[in-house]
Amino acid sequence: MPVALVTGASSGLGRALAAALADAGWDVVVDARGASRLTKALAPYPNVHRHPGDVTDSRHRRELIAACTELGGLDLLVNNAGGLGPSPLPALGEFPLSSLEDLFTVNVVAPLGLIQLALPILAERDGTIVNITSDAASAVYPGWGGYGATKAALEQIGAVLGAECTGSVRVYSFDPGDLRTPMHQAAFPDEDISDRPLPESVVPAFVKLLEERPSNGRYSADDLKTTEVSA
């Protein structure tokens, strides 16, 4: 049975991806900071292994990798856990620097920490790394400078890692687009976001990425829905 590690799986996209993988027969190791919410979110799935904790904690990251090893190895790492920063989103001229440092820790340092631990066991099974990103990494949206800067850094890490991984490990940045998630609601606290698609809507694009295993790079859900990807 293939093994996946999905971070930030108590809600939103992380929960949707973990549930889809579990439905497809994967063993899925998941984490999130809230133990009760994580347990409730994925209660119907006996093959989902819950390990509550904070990905910024290096000991917790080692525990996650140990849990995967106990299941036989690791085929897929999904770096989904992340932060938005202050809400409402502040302009860069007023962005609290301590909050920006925290944001880089959770959105950049923690994913790279997991990647460094996971690479050896991913390599043993021709594994895949998927870093969840955003168009805010390159588009210019007032207020999104802090969050976008962290996603740009994560994309660059993915791109360089993809060039460095000359073996069988695949490395992707996956942009799901705007979704109806708690984080997106926090970005627009006074708006009705019920017109945004549910996280489950991008699962087919994510599965397509895993199944077709194209070249390392950045892929959006919209692109994967409408185009063939080149291997």
Side-chain angles (χ1 to χ4, degrees), residues 35-88:
S36 60
R37 191 170 62 174
L38 181 63
T39 298
K40 182 178 180 181
L42 293 161
Y45 302 97
N47 50 332
V48 170
H49 309 271
R50 302 162 189 81
H51 293 269
D54 189 332
V55 290
T56 65
D57 181 344
S58 60
R59 183 171 64 179
H60 174 61
R61 294 197 295 266
R62 290 194 295 273
E63 290 172 350
L64 292 174
I65 297 302
C68 297
T69 302
E70 289 178 4
L71 292 168
L74 183 61
D75 301 272
L76 170 65
L77 167 61
V78 182
N79 276 313
N80 171 72
L84 176 68
S87 174

Side-chain angles (χ1 to χ4, degrees), residues 193-217:
I193 65 165
S194 60
D195 60 332
R196 272 69 162 185
L198 290 170
E200 288 76 9
S201 66
V202 301
V203 167
F206 179 82
V207 171
K208 182 176 182 180
L209 182 66
L210 296 185
E211 291 180 344
E212 299 193 0
R213 287 176 64 83
S215 302
N216 294 339

